[in-house]
Amino acid sequence: MTDHARDELERLLGELRPRLHRYCARMTGSAVDGEDIVQDAMIKAFAALPDVGVVDNREGWLFRIAHNTALDFLRRRARGPVMQNEEALDMIAAPDSSDHDHEVAIASLSTFMRLPALQRSAVILKDVLGHSLEEIASITGVSEPAAKSALQRGRVRLREFAGEPEDVVLPMLSDAVRARLTAYVDGFRAGDFDAVRAMLADDVTLDLVAKLRKQGKGEVGEYYGRYAAAEQWAFAAGVVDGRAAMLVYDRAISLETPAYFVALDIEGDRIVAIHDFLFARYAMDGIALYALNHQQPRPE
């Protein structure tokens, strides 16, 4: 693989990353899982590049890798319990979609996730991202008639589901997770980053999405220096996709709407993984964020 080919792939991935995330997040019902899938797909693309030769449609090739990676994820998740938050991603239709059927894609996430994977994929690719039937067939590995049938069936089923009453049970954080999340956010609010570092597991991982990854308490501990030096941010504890999260607000813009979020994986009394979307704000596109009532951001 030449340096030029690698540079071109990096450039294209940089351009497509928000669209790839939009697809993967909607295939899985999670902004955080969607980002993990995008990263896995990117690794697979670089690994495959030396052997693929000339690719006429690099974008379609990357979406096909992302599609297959998402299916692998869904198969693994199906082996264990699956909890969906029907409001985690309420923005399904692309704002610039001209398709007259795009309104079917604004169904709640729990309704949308009831579709079989092929139908779900076809509706996302067509009504969210604007791909042609030919492109959908290439990405999903089916014939064009099969792609058209999946799209039509998916649209019809979404309309049917939209007329049914929903029995919604929103995910809740356990008392232990809520307490640890609150303590973590309180550390940010007070500027007590020594207390925050003390909450980290020894093998904690940090994904500063679209920027870098670190592992281990020592390396991850350095990440807090930027937050300690910044004065523009306000913080609140919340829930994103049913997961514990710190909501981050830009004081100069709004204390009503978060600028981005930091999802946390908490085990016992330790933070074991941090997913910081500071540099990947495309993940905010339409997702539902819930601030804990007692942790609203405050002006200073």
Side-chain angles (χ1 to χ4, degrees), residues 177-258:
V177 169
R178 179 186 287 255
R180 208 58 185 158
L181 169 63
T182 299
Y184 186 88
V185 175
D186 284 345
F188 274 76
R189 289 177 146 190
D192 187 356
F193 291 100
D194 287 338
V196 171
R197 291 184 184 95
M199 300 180 201
L200 302 179
D202 289 339
D203 58 350
V204 62
T205 60
L206 165 69
D207 184 7
L208 190 55
V209 179
K211 196 74 172 178
L212 58 83
R213 286 186 166 188
K214 291 181 178 291
Q215 182 166 11
K217 193 171 182 177
E219 285 193 7
V220 174
E222 299 172 357
Y223 141 85
Y224 296 103
R226 166 170 260 169
Y227 281 110
E231 298 181 355
Q232 74 185 98
W233 307 120
F235 309 97
V239 179
V240 176
D241 293 349
R243 306 168 75 141
M246 182 172 70
L247 311 183
V248 186
Y249 301 76
D250 190 329
R251 296 182 185 280
I253 297 175
S254 173
L255 290 178
E256 300 288 332
T257 303

Side-chain angles (χ1 to χ4, degrees), residues 92-224:
I92 300 295
D96 58 353
S97 173
S98 60
D99 193 296
H100 70 282
D101 277 328
H102 81 279
E103 72 274 7
V104 301
I106 64 174
S108 67
L109 184 61
S110 62
T111 302
F112 194 71
M113 292 295 290
R114 291 168 65 183
L115 292 178
L118 180 57
Q119 293 180 17
R120 189 187 323 157
S121 177
V123 175
I124 296 168
L125 289 170
K126 177 62 175 167
D127 294 340
V128 178
L129 297 171
H131 287 269
S132 68
L133 285 173
E134 181 181 3
E135 290 169 330
I136 294 170
S138 175
I139 290 168
T140 58
V142 301
S143 67
E144 196 167 326
K148 183 177 181 179
S149 176
L151 176 63
Q152 292 173 337
R153 289 175 180 272
R155 287 170 168 171
V156 169
R157 293 188 72 178
L158 282 176
R159 290 194 187 96
E160 293 172 349
F161 295 154
E164 297 177 1
E166 294 187 76
D167 184 14
V168 177
V169 178
L170 293 178
M172 301 293 291
L173 300 181
S174 70
D175 289 342
V177 169
R178 179 186 287 255
R180 208 58 185 158
L181 169 63
T182 299
Y184 186 88
V185 175
D186 284 345
F188 274 76
R189 289 177 146 190
D192 187 356
F193 291 100
D194 287 338
V196 171
R197 291 184 184 95
M199 300 180 201
L200 302 179
D202 289 339
D203 58 350
V204 62
T205 60
L206 165 69
D207 184 7
L208 190 55
V209 179
K211 196 74 172 178
L212 58 83
R213 286 186 166 188
K214 291 181 178 291
Q215 182 166 11
K217 193 171 182 177
E219 285 193 7
V220 174
E222 299 172 357
Y223 141 85
Y224 296 103

